[in-house]
Amino acid sequence: MGRTNGKVKEAALADLGLTAQNGREAVVTGLSVDSRTLARGNLFAALPGVKVHGARFVEGALARGASAILTDREGAQIAAAALDGSDAALVVAEDPRQTLALAAALWFERQPEVIVATTGTNGKTSVATFARQIWMLLGEQAVNLGTTGVQGAYAAPLRHTTPEPITLHAMLAELEAAHITHVAMEASSHGLAQRRLDGVRLSAAAFTNFSQDHLDYHASFEEYFAAKAGLFDRVLPEDAIAVINIDDPRGPDMANIAEMRGQDVLRIGRAGDAALRILSQRFDATGQDLRFSWNGVTRQVRLNLIGGFQAGNVLAAAGLVLACGEDPARVFDTLPHLVTVAGRMQLAATRDNGAAVFVDYAHTPDAIATALSNLRPHVMGRLVVAYGAGGDRDRGKRPLMGKAAAENADVRIVTDDNPRSEDPAEIRSQILKADPDAIEVGDRAEAILRGVDMLEAGDALLIAGKGHETGQTVGDAVFPFDDVEQASVAVAALDGRVA
């Protein structure tokens, strides 16, 4: 697709699946959503935004030499004056975000041979990471792509869980050029709603669960669910395989959506119709033994992972790998070798008395409840949690997080977790309304120290909310902060260890 003129790649609009108004032709030298960094000959995508329409920046894009503008009808009206008399081609699309994603797929052309995606409120990073680990244990060149960046046989940072389509397709082409053959992606609701994954050639996709989150972005639960369902009713091809956690209350709904599209559904969970079915689990201080069945044949494996929910994440990952054609016996043989994902029920430190400190990304009511209830079987003593809620995000989940913590932990410490532009004390007060017996410690480092200090033999502390993150956002500033590091420092200080 397209041609190279010296060092500059060029493509006609038709090569990108685009048709301009009045039949105007244009040669495109690249794609851009930022008028400030646009290069001469680029197509500028003027997309509707949360606060301002990208069409407001068309004049600047034209001044920098844009050869074509992609926008919607509203954008065309906003930019009409700037476009008047311009030689740039105007492409007006009903869904310019999807149109841009499909154009990006054609522009960059190359993608790894096997790509899978996972959506759900919780578990996306773990499932994607476990799928990548399984493939690598089977000898494949694989990466996972999402919240923790690009990890595996190739490493690169990412700004978003699901990058915008130009960045995403550029990365997929880069991975293919680096001989990466297998990719496991996270599909966020934001990314799906904004059509960022459209044009990605998926072999399979998974659904983990659905609970409250991101209602600061989505207008309702149903809109939030519809965004996630887009992975199956729009992005995943009809001849691909959907891996569905049938135990989740919305699992049957998602399975029906996939089947209505014509996709084969591989069900996982405890339900009797699950192809990958959890039969029983036995927990201890370092992990769990999992008894499960695959198409009616019973197997048992050791998982060196804390938390009963990890069995579902592991089977979802295994299901994705199986859906891509790997041999079941070889896949199941890799499971004992899987390691914890950074910031996901990660053992951060252990006190001299044996009490353990774990760090987890749990930052929703369901995730808090799930993390605590699944840590409980591994703990003989008290379960302590330090948690908070982010600022400038869904405020409705704050008391629900307090309720979840109060119902599932013996001792609770409410602290700050990325307050952003909000008053941290006000965020804590909204949580404490549902957890009035919790200890309030605004300073997160102090909260972790106090949590570690109260641990007796057999106890465990869960530091929830930040997981793998290495910064605390207060106002417009991001201060270095790592829960795992803080836990290690606290344990070393209290147990008199030399750093």
Side-chain angles (χ1 to χ4, degrees):
M1 193 286 305
R3 59 187 182 279
T4 301
N5 180 11
K7 293 184 178 181
V8 179
K9 179 178 178 180
E10 296 178 344
L13 288 177
D15 293 332
L16 303 178
L18 304 175
T19 302
Q21 288 190 342
N22 302 320
R24 182 169 292 182
E25 297 295 338
V27 174
V28 174
T29 59
L31 309 176
S32 177
V33 292
D34 189 340
S35 62
R36 298 167 299 181
T37 58
L38 178 142
R40 180 166 295 278
N42 282 185
L43 176 146
F44 175 58
L47 306 175
V50 176
K51 296 180 179 179
V52 64
H53 199 294
R56 301 287 181 189
F57 306 102
V58 165
E59 184 175 0
L62 293 173
R64 293 184 66 88
S67 64
I69 304 297
L70 167 64
T71 191
D72 56 9
R73 293 178 183 177
E74 180 187 359
Q77 293 176 349
I78 294 172
L83 289 163
D84 186 33
S86 170
D87 292 332
L90 174 62
V91 180
V92 178
E94 290 296 323
D95 189 340
R97 292 185 181 279
Q98 183 180 50
T99 302
L100 174 62
L102 297 176
L106 291 170
W107 174 263
F108 290 102
E109 300 183 79
R110 301 163 67 180
Q111 298 182 22
E113 180 182 352
V114 177
I115 307 176
V116 300
T118 301
T119 196
T121 305
N122 305 310
K124 296 185 294 296
T125 302
S126 292
V127 172
T129 305
F130 290 148
R132 183 263 297 171
Q133 289 183 23
I134 292 171
W135 274 324
M136 292 189 74
L137 288 165
L138 293 174
E140 305 289 1
Q141 292 295 299
V143 300
N144 59 282
L145 185 158
T147 306
T148 53
V150 179
Q151 295 181 318
Y154 188 96
L158 292 175
R159 289 184 59 192
H160 299 100
T161 299
T162 307
E164 53 85 17
I166 298 174
T167 300
L168 175 58
H169 284 282
M171 176 56 68
L172 292 176
E174 187 176 322
L175 292 172
E176 197 274 344
H179 307 294
I180 300 301
T181 57
H182 292 67
V183 176
M185 294 179 56
E186 298 177 48
S188 69
S189 61
H190 291 65
L192 288 165
Q194 295 176 13
R195 307 302 197 257
R196 297 180 197 169
L197 275 84
D198 290 55
V200 177
R201 296 190 288 270
L202 296 177
S203 300
F207 168 74
T208 58
N209 49 57
F210 181 77
S211 61
Q212 180 167 345
D213 199 12
H214 300 308
L215 293 187
D216 54 314
Y217 179 82
H218 302 288
S220 65
F221 274 116
E222 285 309 309
E223 182 180 298
Y224 178 35
F225 182 77
K228 292 196 171 297
L231 181 58
F232 302 95
D233 66 19
R234 189 185 71 254
V235 181
L236 186 67
E238 295 176 4
D239 60 351
I241 296 176
V243 179
I244 306 293
N245 172 19
I246 205 66
D247 290 347
D248 187 83
R250 298 305 298 267
D253 296 333
M254 201 66 87
N256 289 337
I257 289 169
E259 288 175 334
M260 288 290 289
R261 185 89 187 284
Q263 295 153 2
D264 288 335
V265 174
L266 192 164
R267 290 169 169 80
I268 60 171
R270 297 180 182 276
D273 61 344
L276 269 172
R277 185 183 179 194
I278 298 173
L279 300 176
S280 59
Q281 293 165 273
R282 181 174 59 201
F283 305 98
D284 55 43
T286 61
Q288 58 192 284
D289 295 310
L290 171 65
R291 189 168 181 262
F292 70 101
S293 66
W294 163 245
N295 288 330
V297 178
T298 301
R299 300 173 180 269
Q300 184 166 315
V301 297
R302 173 68 181 179
L303 298 179
N304 297 304
L305 305 167
I306 297 295
F309 64 88
Q310 292 284 34
N313 290 334
V314 166
L315 292 188
L320 286 171
V321 174
L322 292 171
C324 295
E326 296 289 353
D327 177 69
R330 295 186 67 220
V331 171
F332 300 143
D333 284 346
T334 69
L335 303 188
H337 304 288
L338 300 181
V339 297
T340 303
V341 179
R344 271 65 176 177
M345 206 59 79
Q346 178 182 356
L347 178 62
T350 304
R351 294 211 62 178
D352 288 347
N353 63 12
V357 183
F358 296 93
V359 168
D360 192 78
Y361 193 50
H363 58 278
T364 69
D366 180 67
I368 289 284
T370 299
L372 290 169
S373 63
N374 281 267
L375 183 55
R376 177 73 71 179
H378 299 274
V379 179
M380 294 184 67
R382 298 175 305 163
L383 187 51
V384 183
V385 63
Y387 74 107
D392 303 333
R393 297 295 187 268
D394 180 7
R395 299 187 180 195
K397 72 181 184 181
R398 294 169 188 173
L400 298 178
M401 292 175 70
K403 182 174 184 291
E407 291 176 348
N408 289 281
D410 301 304
V411 182
R412 287 89 56 203
I413 303 172
V414 175
T415 189
D416 293 342
D417 182 355
N418 294 328
R420 300 183 176 89
S421 69
E422 290 193 60
D423 178 3
E426 177 59 25
I427 297 174
R428 297 194 301 271
S429 72
Q430 292 173 21
I431 299 172
L432 289 163
K433 288 177 181 177
D435 191 7
D437 294 330
I439 303 166
E440 182 179 5
V441 183
D443 183 272
R444 193 171 180 91
E446 181 186 348
I448 292 172
L449 180 65
R450 290 180 64 173
V452 171
D453 188 38
M454 66 177 65
L455 294 179
E456 300 175 353
D459 291 347
L461 167 65
L462 176 68
I463 306 169
K466 300 183 72 62
H468 65 283
E469 294 177 353
T470 56
Q472 176 84 308
T473 305
V474 182
D476 294 328
V478 179
F479 298 96
F481 197 95
D482 186 320
D483 281 352
V484 174
E485 180 180 292
Q486 289 294 325
S488 298
V489 168
V491 168
L494 292 168
D495 286 346
R497 302 176 188 173
V498 177

